[in-house]
Amino acid sequence: MTVCKNYDELSKTTADFVAAYVNKKPNSLLCFPSGESPGGTIDYLVQYAHQGKVDFSECYFVGLDEWVGVHEKNEGSCKYYLYSRLFTPLKIKEEKIIFFNALARNLDHECKQIDTKISAHGPIDIMLVGVGLNGHIGLNEPGVLFDSYSHHIDLDPLTKSVAKKYFKQETILTAGITLGLKHLMESKVAILIASGIKKAEIIYKALNEEVSNKIPATIIQKHPNSFVFIDKEAASNLTNRDFTDLNGFHRLANKH
């Protein structure tokens, strides 16, 4: 685990990690989320690419999730976010991008198509995720099955409430479509990022409580090659604890 002094340092540290990985494996399959947490990281990656420090032209990309029923041109959609912040600035070719169609009539079929495309180019090399206040990863809400691949799911009330900030107009959200936690566990590298005091409680739970689908983010403890990048505020509930390395996962252990 790496604790950074602020959000900017967190973003740069994460971007440096991703860029170094891509420089070693130029045809990586990368998964990015939308939202507040990854924004700085994405901005740094675009900057690095424009400076010639990293080349994403051979990479494949997969979107983490999407709001069911929301059009891709809606500025609150995950697809709009990633295209405007990442794919378009980097001039990524369409055939290199894998993304959910949240308007698909048959969402089960849509999930199977995404899984097939990931299998063709995967496994996912780096799966970068944030964490919701309820412990969700992507839109894997509390109670989700740990052995799930792509699926659609009813949204938790807290998720619906928090998601309102992404939309300029009132938008009724009921369900999400998302990569599953099995995708996370099968990824070569899993990165969890979080910043701000509002994430302090859930970060503590994710890293210290028993692994359970009641808090989906606890599964990060079981990933054989996971990294956690957080800022001081998000780490504030972890004060007076020691770092240990448990099964490849850098976590905090109570002092004895």
Side-chain angles (χ1 to χ4, degrees), residues 156-249:
D156 184 79
L158 182 56
T159 300
K160 294 178 186 178
S161 176
V162 172
K164 291 179 181 179
K165 65 184 177 184
Y166 300 123
F167 297 88
K168 292 183 177 180
Q169 298 179 333
E170 184 175 355
T171 303
I172 304 300
L173 301 173
T174 59
I177 187 167
T178 182
L179 299 190
L181 294 178
K182 197 159 186 178
H183 284 123
L184 182 77
M185 294 304 292
E186 292 181 356
S187 64
K188 294 181 180 179
V189 176
I191 302 176
L192 176 68
I193 60 173
S195 69
I197 194 68
K198 64 183 179 182
K199 294 294 178 71
E201 181 178 355
I202 193 61
I203 282 296
Y204 175 84
K205 291 179 179 179
L207 303 187
N208 289 279
E209 293 200 359
E210 181 182 357
V211 176
S212 165
N213 65 358
K214 294 179 180 178
I215 303 177
T218 55
I219 199 173
I220 198 75
Q221 297 179 38
K222 294 293 187 181
H223 194 286
N225 195 26
S226 61
F227 296 83
V228 177
F229 298 129
I230 55 180
D231 63 14
K232 284 186 176 180
E233 289 189 344
S236 59
N237 284 13
L238 304 174
T239 306
N240 297 324
R241 290 172 177 267
D242 294 324
F243 292 101
T244 64
D245 189 356
L246 180 61
N247 295 326
F249 173 70

Side-chain angles (χ1 to χ4, degrees), residues 125-139:
D125 284 283
I126 294 180
M127 191 161 172
L128 175 65
V129 298
V131 57
L133 296 177
N134 63 358
H136 75 206
I137 285 179
L139 289 175

Side-chain angles (χ1 to χ4, degrees), residues 71-162:
H71 196 280
E72 63 184 42
K73 292 185 178 180
N74 186 315
E75 293 184 18
S77 75
C78 303
K79 189 171 185 177
Y80 184 94
Y81 176 98
L82 284 173
Y83 266 80
S84 62
R85 296 287 290 267
L86 183 66
F87 302 148
T88 300
L90 291 181
K91 299 180 179 179
I92 302 299
K93 296 178 180 178
E94 283 294 324
E95 59 265 27
K96 298 284 190 178
I97 301 171
I98 304 167
F99 222 104
F100 288 110
N101 173 13
L103 300 178
R105 291 185 177 181
N106 188 331
L107 293 176
D108 289 332
H109 179 68
E110 179 66 14
C111 290
K112 290 179 181 178
Q113 284 192 313
I114 295 296
D115 289 344
T116 297
K117 291 177 181 178
I118 291 174
S119 295
H121 301 289
I124 295 170
D125 284 283
I126 294 180
M127 191 161 172
L128 175 65
V129 298
V131 57
L133 296 177
N134 63 358
H136 75 206
I137 285 179
L139 289 175
N140 290 279
E141 303 283 35
V144 69
L145 297 176
F146 273 180
D147 63 353
S148 58
Y149 285 112
S150 295
H151 61 280
H152 51 97
I153 189 170
D154 291 338
L155 297 177
D156 184 79
L158 182 56
T159 300
K160 294 178 186 178
S161 176
V162 172

Side-chain angles (χ1 to χ4, degrees), residues 25-80:
K25 189 174 184 244
N27 63 340
S28 295
L29 174 58
L30 306 174
C31 175
F32 289 103
S34 59
E36 295 176 347
S37 296
T41 298
I42 289 171
D43 290 345
Y44 269 113
L45 290 174
V46 171
Q47 176 184 320
Y48 291 169
H50 289 164
Q51 293 172 341
K53 295 179 179 179
V54 63
D55 183 0
F56 292 101
S57 62
E58 294 184 34
C59 290
Y60 281 83
F61 296 85
V62 57
L64 178 60
D65 52 20
E66 188 57 280
W67 311 108
V68 168
V70 173
H71 196 280
E72 63 184 42
K73 292 185 178 180
N74 186 315
E75 293 184 18
S77 75
C78 303
K79 189 171 185 177
Y80 184 94

